[in-house]
Every structure is written in C-alpha cells, then in structure tokens.
Amino acid sequence: MTEERTKYGRVMLKISGEALMGDTAFGLHPPTVQRIAREVKSVHDMGVEICMVIGGGNIFRGLQGSAQGMERTTADYMGMLATVMNALAMQSALEELKIHTRVISAIPMDQVCEPYIRRRAVRHLEKKRVCIFAAGTGNPYFTTDTAATLRANEMSCEAIFKGTKVDGVYDKDPNKFDDAVRYERISYDEVLQKHLGVMDASAIALARDNHLPIIVFSLDDTGGFKGILAGEGTSTTVHD
C-alpha cells in the first residue's frame, strides 16, 4: 500500500450526523457508529493520518431550529454541541478498536475533550492519533462542511473525503431520477454554478482557494473508504 500512502498521507473524513443514525429516525445507532469506526480503522492501518468532522443533524440542526422560531445563534450553538456528542461516540467506538483518538472542540469544555490548539492537533496526527474536530468552527452561521474544510487546510490535509449515501456527485438526485449522471471529475466552479450541493458555497470556495480536492464517495459500502484511498471503487473528485 506504499503508493497509496504516498498519495494521501493525511486526509480529512467529513460525514454527516445522519450517517450515524443507521435505519433509525433520530440519534445514534451504535452498530452503525461501530461500522464506520471499522472503516476508519482500515484506513488508519494503511498508515494514513486521519482527521474527522461529524455533523450534528441526527441530534439537532441549527437551521431547522431557527426555522421554527428559535434565535439563530442559539440554535447554531445547540447544533455545535450535538457534534461534540457525535464525536465522543465515534471516539469511544474507535478506542474499542485500539485506535488512539482525540476529540478536539472549538468550544472549550475541558472535562470532556481538548480545546483546539493547532500545533497540538498536528502533533496528535504525527503520533498517528485520529483527531475528531467538534463544535464546528466555534462560530454560528458556519456549517460543519466549512469547519471540515478549514481544519483540513490548517492540518495540511491532502484531500477531503466526504462520505455520503451516494457514490459521487450527480447532475440531479439519483434517488429520484433514473437518468441522473455521475461526474467522474468536476471543478469547484461547476459545483458552485450548478448548485450541486456537494458542500455549502463557503466550503467549496475555501477548498478552491487552497487547491484542496474533495472526493465524494458512498460511506454505505463496506470497505468503501479504504477502497477509494487505494484508487478503487466509484467516487467523484472536485478539483481545480
């Protein structure tokens, strides 16, 4: 696997909070969390340094709360706390697999996780610890997509791997349209112009400005994360 390790020595894995729900309607589904942890372990075993950002939509989504009359800033902070809960669940699952893991929060809460200090986080990665960045950027009005792109740049990641329920980026929703066409490669500008919803516009623009490729793949396929890193399987690369 040396060739693949050379290509991607350090990566960011971004997944939604909904990915942890499994078939349930809300919250965490422990067998699903454990399955994703095994996917992360398989890549960690290749020698790849891994950062993670997990959304909080399975517990609370700030925009949804805002739409229902809650003050937006408060709703966003609640969403950030949801991401910390998901990060702790993933840490527990990874450490069950003997993978040393650190949850690093943009909002200080020293009793449960570390505060974000860039140099300390880089050192964790160098020691082959998985770093899960929680609480978004620490600011309301920013999504976990933007947080993942920001942290990926700060950690000098070589790519963002976005695990979704579909195996790439399509010109329209493949779950609704049989004639949806998957892109093999697509530029950041095309994603923005066509409103393809890979990540929010701020995240795409930040990735574009720093020439950070985004690889979209299906997290539902067992072995999918490792396979994509090894150059196998189906995905879409968003690039310059």
Side-chain angles (χ1 to χ4, degrees):
M1 298 306 298
T2 52
E3 185 181 338
E4 288 77 29
R5 281 207 303 269
T6 303
K7 186 174 183 185
Y8 295 117
R10 182 178 294 172
V11 301
M12 167 64 74
L13 174 63
K14 166 63 172 73
I15 60 177
S16 67
E18 287 88 346
L20 306 184
M21 292 194 311
D23 295 327
T24 62
F26 178 83
L28 290 156
H29 182 238
T32 300
V33 177
Q34 290 156 8
R35 179 183 65 79
I36 295 172
R38 289 193 295 271
E39 294 284 313
V40 173
K41 181 182 187 298
S42 70
V43 171
H44 184 270
D45 289 347
M46 294 165 65
V48 177
E49 296 169 5
I50 303 169
C51 306
M52 293 182 71
V53 168
I54 307 171
N58 57 319
I59 298 170
F60 189 86
R61 186 179 292 280
L63 268 175
Q64 231 167 35
S66 176
Q68 292 171 11
M70 188 176 290
E71 196 267 323
R72 172 67 189 270
T73 303
T74 299
D76 278 356
Y77 278 122
M78 290 173 68
M80 289 180 223
L81 295 177
T83 72
V84 176
M85 295 171 69
N86 285 338
L88 292 170
M90 183 57 64
Q91 179 186 39
S92 176
L94 284 167
E95 294 200 330
E96 282 286 315
L97 300 172
K98 311 301 182 193
I99 303 295
H100 295 297
T101 307
R102 295 291 184 272
V103 173
I104 301 171
S105 172
I107 299 173
M109 45 185 85
D110 296 345
Q111 286 84 350
V112 293
C113 52
E114 291 186 10
Y116 176 68
I117 300 169
R118 191 186 71 83
R119 287 178 179 273
R120 183 189 290 176
V122 169
R123 188 69 182 128
H124 287 320
L125 291 170
E126 291 170 350
K127 290 182 175 179
K128 305 300 179 187
R129 296 165 181 160
V130 172
C131 288
I132 308 175
F133 296 104
T137 65
N139 302 288
Y141 296 95
F142 288 92
T143 66
T144 51
D145 281 344
T146 302
T149 312
L150 173 65
R151 297 293 184 237
N153 280 304
E154 289 180 301
M155 295 297 108
S156 302
C157 292
E158 293 155 9
I160 297 174
F161 285 78
K162 178 154 188 190
T164 68
K165 292 194 172 293
V166 292
D167 58 357
V169 181
Y170 286 77
D171 61 347
K172 47 192 165 185
D173 188 343
N175 295 317
K176 295 179 182 174
F177 301 95
D178 292 335
D179 60 343
V181 177
R182 184 180 61 82
Y183 297 99
E184 195 75 34
R185 302 178 73 83
I186 188 168
S187 72
Y188 305 108
D189 289 336
E190 283 181 279
V191 168
L192 291 171
Q193 288 161 8
K194 296 177 180 178
H195 303 287
L196 293 175
V198 177
M199 287 180 157
D200 67 78
S202 299
I204 294 292
L206 185 58
R208 178 191 62 195
D209 293 348
N210 292 279
H211 312 290
L212 183 66
I214 302 166
I215 296 153
V216 182
F217 71 103
S218 173
L219 199 63
D220 286 348
D221 300 333
T222 301
F225 187 24
K226 180 179 179 180
I228 296 301
L229 270 159
E232 303 160 1
T234 307
S235 63
T236 298
T237 302
V238 183
H239 63 109
D240 287 316

